[in-house]
């Protein structure tokens, strides 16, 4: 796989590399969609998902995260995408979204969805587009 990451950063899907405490802190304290999420709930979400960690090659520290809820056959939901504020502006969010897209491609998923309040431009760069037929979609739970 071709790396889309700027020099000094890498992505891994190895669950053993994930820093679950850091992921929980990022999401539960700073991500508008997951504020207050309990650690046990976050750990369960990680366990049930395809996870993507972004790492500083020099220090080994995790600096980004995304997860995909998927059956690896027909559908995927990209969520909990987060880049540490200290490294934002370096293209890591776009690189992460691009890598997720490329990693999912071999599954032949019919669709991959996501929801965002503020990062439409990042996802549009890698091919995501607004739903055009929203009348056929429904939700159970929060909107």
């Amino acid at each position: 796989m071709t790396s889309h990451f700027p020099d000094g950063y890498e992505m891994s899907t190895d669950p053993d590399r994930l820093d679950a405490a850091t992921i929980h802190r990022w999401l539960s304290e700073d991500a508008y969609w997951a504020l207050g999420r309990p650690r046990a709930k976050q750990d369960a979400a990680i366990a049930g998902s395809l996870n993507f960690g972004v790492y500083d090659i020099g220090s080994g520290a995790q600096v980004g995260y995304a997860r995909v809820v998927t059956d690896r056959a027909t559908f995927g939901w990209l969520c909990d995408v987060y880049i540490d504020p200290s490294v934002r502006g370096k293209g890591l969010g776009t690189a992460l979204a691009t890598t997720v897209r490329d990693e999912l491609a071999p599954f032949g998923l019919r669709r991959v969805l996501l929801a965002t309040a503020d990062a439409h431009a990042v996802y549009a760069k890698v091919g995501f587009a607004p739903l055009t037929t929203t009348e056929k979609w429904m939700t159970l739970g929060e909107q």
Side-chain angles (χ1 to χ4, degrees), residues 47-101:
S49 300
L50 176 58
N51 299 279
F52 297 83
V54 180
Y55 303 91
D56 178 297
I57 293 173
S59 69
Q62 186 167 352
V63 297
Y65 176 72
R67 69 186 180 92
V68 177
V69 180
T70 183
D71 58 11
R72 292 175 169 86
T74 63
F75 180 79
W77 174 264
L78 174 58
C79 54
D80 288 346
V81 180
Y82 190 91
I83 300 295
D84 188 275
S86 69
V87 295
R88 289 184 187 159
K90 297 182 177 189
L92 295 173
T94 300
L96 179 55
T98 302
T99 302
V100 169
R101 178 201 64 200

Side-chain angles (χ1 to χ4, degrees), residues 6-74:
D7 288 344
Y9 297 93
E10 65 182 352
M11 188 280 306
S12 174
T13 57
D14 179 356
D16 292 334
R17 287 188 71 183
L18 294 173
D19 183 340
T22 296
I23 293 166
H24 176 254
R25 180 177 46 78
W26 284 338
L27 298 177
S28 69
E29 296 178 10
D30 191 42
Y32 66 85
W33 64 91
L35 292 175
R37 183 182 289 168
R39 173 67 190 267
K41 177 120 3 219
Q42 184 60 50
D43 289 347
I46 289 170
S49 300
L50 176 58
N51 299 279
F52 297 83
V54 180
Y55 303 91
D56 178 297
I57 293 173
S59 69
Q62 186 167 352
V63 297
Y65 176 72
R67 69 186 180 92
V68 177
V69 180
T70 183
D71 58 11
R72 292 175 169 86
T74 63

